[in-house]
Amino acid sequence: MSGLFDLSGKVAVVTGGAGLIGSSLCGALATHGATVVLVDIDSEAATEVANSIDGTVVVKMVDINSESEVEALFEEVVERFGSVDILVNSAYPRNQNYGQQYEDVSLSDWQENILLNLNSYYLTCKKAAAIMQGQEHGGSIINLGSIYGSQAPDFDVYAGTEMTSPVEYSAIKGGIINFTRYLASYLGEDGIRANVLSPGGVFDDQDATFVDQYESKTPLSRMAEPADLKGAVVFLSSDSSRYITGQNLIVDGGWTIK
Ligand SMILES: NC(=O)c1ccc[n+]([C@@H]2O[C@H](COP(=O)([O-])OP(=O)(O)OC[C@H]3O[C@@H](n4cnc5c(N)ncnc54)[C@H](O)[C@@H]3O)[C@@H](O)[C@H]2O)c1
């Protein structure tokens, strides 16, 4: 393995590690030598993911919307493994009404979903950065964004389906991108890098009409697979990106160029 991408000796905390994307990211980091702390609220899925990965993966059940749980998580990681070198936020907290059409979203749903997402990413970044600030080598923070954090949704791809892009999502992902730039600017002097990894739509057995419409607008003619994000997370976590901070790395098969 090239030294540039070697994560041996690094400790990575991955929130939402049991999810569609998070599970793939955990696998990539572990394969490149990191000790991975897989954080989620779904213990069955988390255990299944951890067992499927060839490498060191430790599962922690933590609700990243709870300040006390997040604080205890990072204290335990430092106590047990000695450092927090990488934080990847790939959790996707949302309430049961999330995903409704624009007209049906109530003020309370808007508020709740925005708070669940932005608060949890803020909390984990704040607690991880406090530890990284005390480390000579700093650390790397990677927040999952989306193509819809820097671009308006294309509603044509949902035509003829029940699907939509929720209005909260655009506010959340736009916020994550600029919040991450803030972190990069503020924490740079401590050797802490902060970047966004923005996937395009990931195939997850969605309505076939949507999939066809989405793929026909994508230069590489297909939706993303979770494995398409592996290289990007290893790159942003490792020394190969050591002079890169505050950036939004878009992995979308070319969707955003059109
Ligand atoms: N799937 C896509 O097409 C896509 C595209 C672009 C961006 N993204 C972004 O990628 C990230 C991951 O998305 P995904 O598709 O893997 O989602 P997912 O729903 O498959 O996984 C999210 C994981 O987060 C966990 N989680 C939810 N609330 C939590 C909490 N409070 N504390 C701890 N864990 C919690 C869930 O249990 C789940 O395992 C999100 O930020 C999402 O917005 C996804």
Side-chain angles (χ1 to χ4, degrees), residues 15-23 39-42 45 62-66 89-94 98 116-117 120-121 143-147 169 173 197-204 206 223:
T15 75
L20 180 69
I21 291 174
S23 53
V39 173
D40 211 287
I41 45 173
D42 183 339
V62 173
D63 177 353
I64 60 165
N65 275 110
S66 159
N89 267 317
S90 188
Y92 192 178
R94 64 255 207 201
Y98 185 77
L116 282 171
N117 269 270
S120 58
Y121 278 44
N143 287 325
L144 268 286
S146 164
I147 49 174
Y169 198 63
K173 293 305 185 184
L197 171 51
S198 282
V202 179
F203 180 72
D204 190 22
Q206 292 96 336
M223 295 193 74

Side-chain angles (χ1 to χ4, degrees), residues 13-109:
V13 174
V14 182
T15 75
L20 180 69
I21 291 174
S23 53
S24 191
L25 304 183
C26 286
L29 296 170
T31 304
H32 283 76
T35 295
V36 174
V37 181
L38 187 167
V39 173
D40 211 287
I41 45 173
D42 183 339
S43 81
E44 205 179 313
T47 307
E48 203 175 302
V49 169
N51 289 340
S52 73
I53 294 172
D54 191 16
T56 309
V57 182
V58 179
V59 169
K60 290 300 302 173
M61 284 299 102
V62 173
D63 177 353
I64 60 165
N65 275 110
S66 159
E67 184 166 18
S68 57
E69 287 187 35
V70 170
E71 207 155 71
L73 164 73
F74 285 109
E75 272 170 23
E76 188 189 331
V77 171
V78 172
E79 212 170 273
R80 207 162 147 193
F81 302 111
S83 63
V84 175
D85 307 298
I86 300 156
L87 168 67
V88 180
N89 267 317
S90 188
Y92 192 178
R94 64 255 207 201
N95 75 11
Q96 72 270 29
N97 292 332
Y98 185 77
Q100 297 188 103
Q101 299 293 330
Y102 169 75
E103 288 79 5
D104 301 326
V105 175
S106 67
L107 178 60
S108 64
D109 285 332

Side-chain angles (χ1 to χ4, degrees), residues 186-231:
Y186 194 81
L187 299 169
E189 66 178 15
D190 296 314
I192 300 169
R193 300 184 295 110
N195 291 288
V196 176
L197 171 51
S198 282
V202 179
F203 180 72
D204 190 22
D205 276 326
Q206 292 96 336
D207 187 312
T209 304
F210 162 79
V211 174
D212 282 351
Q213 287 166 170
Y214 187 95
E215 291 185 342
S216 73
K217 294 194 172 213
T218 308
L220 288 182
S221 305
R222 64 172 177 85
M223 295 193 74
E225 296 164 12
D228 292 328
L229 302 163
K230 288 185 171 195

